[in-house]
Amino acid sequence: MVHLTRIYTKTGDDGSTALGDMSRTSKNDPRLEAYATVDEANSSIGVALAMSEMSDDVRKLLVRIQNDLFDVGADLCTPVIDNPGYEQLRVLDSQVAYLEEQIDKFNADLAELRSFVLPSGTPAAALLHVARTVVRRAERRTWSAIHAFGTGVNPLTAKYLNRLSDLLFVLARYANKDKGDELWVPGANR
């Protein structure tokens, strides 16, 4: 359990921060960039939840994802090592599989796409598209951390984020189901 008794510690005033294993690293560390962007993605989902109408099943799914994103952040901030002294929180294949199940479920009733979707429509759809793009950035930052630290970063974190961005795309389309998607028309304004 996490206990936050002090909000400011002043330990980061020198440009460093603690990782999950309590080692110190630069605030420019690719792992920090990755989990900080995951935090931003989580906040983007929170804005979508707070500012738009969504069905109960979508709302419940997004809250579950917000919890999972804290797991992703915890995983990214804790270096992968052999024989850790305690059980580390890691993203699992089952979490990725769950996202895939949800993609299939919500995509089943949507019209087939014949072009790219413009990120617009209902407030829920537009906000979910913003969250999707932040998740994509978090995925890119995670790949940077994986390339910098190799096996010291769990690659399932990047896979989870990849599937999550796909799910957010589907949920944005689902939010536009009654209205329909606005599609890209290549060269329409030439």
Side-chain angles (χ1 to χ4, degrees):
M1 180 62 70
V2 176
H3 297 282
L4 301 175
T5 56
R6 288 181 46 196
I7 301 305
Y8 64 92
T9 62
K10 301 181 184 181
T11 58
D13 291 350
D14 64 353
S16 70
T17 192
L19 293 173
D21 65 356
M22 301 315 290
S23 64
R24 302 291 297 175
T25 192
S26 166
K27 288 192 178 187
N28 294 318
D29 187 306
R31 295 168 295 188
L32 175 64
E33 291 286 338
Y35 69 77
T37 310
V38 167
D39 185 36
E40 183 183 352
N42 202 341
S43 295
S44 293
I45 291 170
V47 170
L49 285 165
M51 297 188 69
S52 58
E53 294 295 321
M54 294 182 200
S55 62
D56 288 341
D57 57 341
V58 171
R59 184 169 293 284
K60 182 178 176 183
L61 172 60
L62 290 174
V63 170
R64 177 180 174 151
I65 287 166
Q66 285 190 295
N67 279 283
D68 280 353
L69 285 173
F70 269 96
D71 291 353
V72 173
D75 192 335
L76 287 168
C77 85
T78 306
V80 176
I81 59 171
D82 291 331
N83 305 316
Y86 57 93
E87 184 178 357
Q88 297 175 331
L89 185 58
R90 298 288 176 211
V91 172
L92 304 174
D93 283 316
S94 60
Q95 290 171 289
V96 175
Y98 178 78
L99 294 180
E100 292 171 352
E101 291 167 12
Q102 297 308 303
I103 292 168
D104 294 341
K105 172 186 168 184
F106 285 96
N107 196 47
D109 294 332
L110 299 177
E112 184 179 331
L113 277 176
R114 301 200 182 282
S115 185
F116 289 102
V117 173
L118 298 180
S120 62
T122 65
L127 290 165
L128 289 168
H129 277 297
V130 171
R132 172 186 57 80
T133 63
V134 177
V135 170
R136 283 281 188 218
R137 183 162 26 93
E139 179 194 0
R140 291 190 305 273
R141 298 283 192 268
T142 299
W143 279 112
S144 292
I146 291 168
H147 289 148
F149 292 95
T151 59
V153 178
N154 180 4
L156 281 177
T157 54
K159 190 174 183 180
Y160 179 92
L161 293 167
N162 183 278
R163 293 308 181 284
L164 177 56
S165 62
D166 293 339
L167 175 58
L168 291 171
F169 174 77
V170 168
L171 291 177
R173 291 197 65 221
Y174 186 79
N176 280 340
K177 190 167 82 166
D178 294 336
K179 181 179 182 158
D181 293 308
E182 190 73 33
L183 299 178
W184 174 46
V185 180
N189 300 310
R190 288 196 212 181

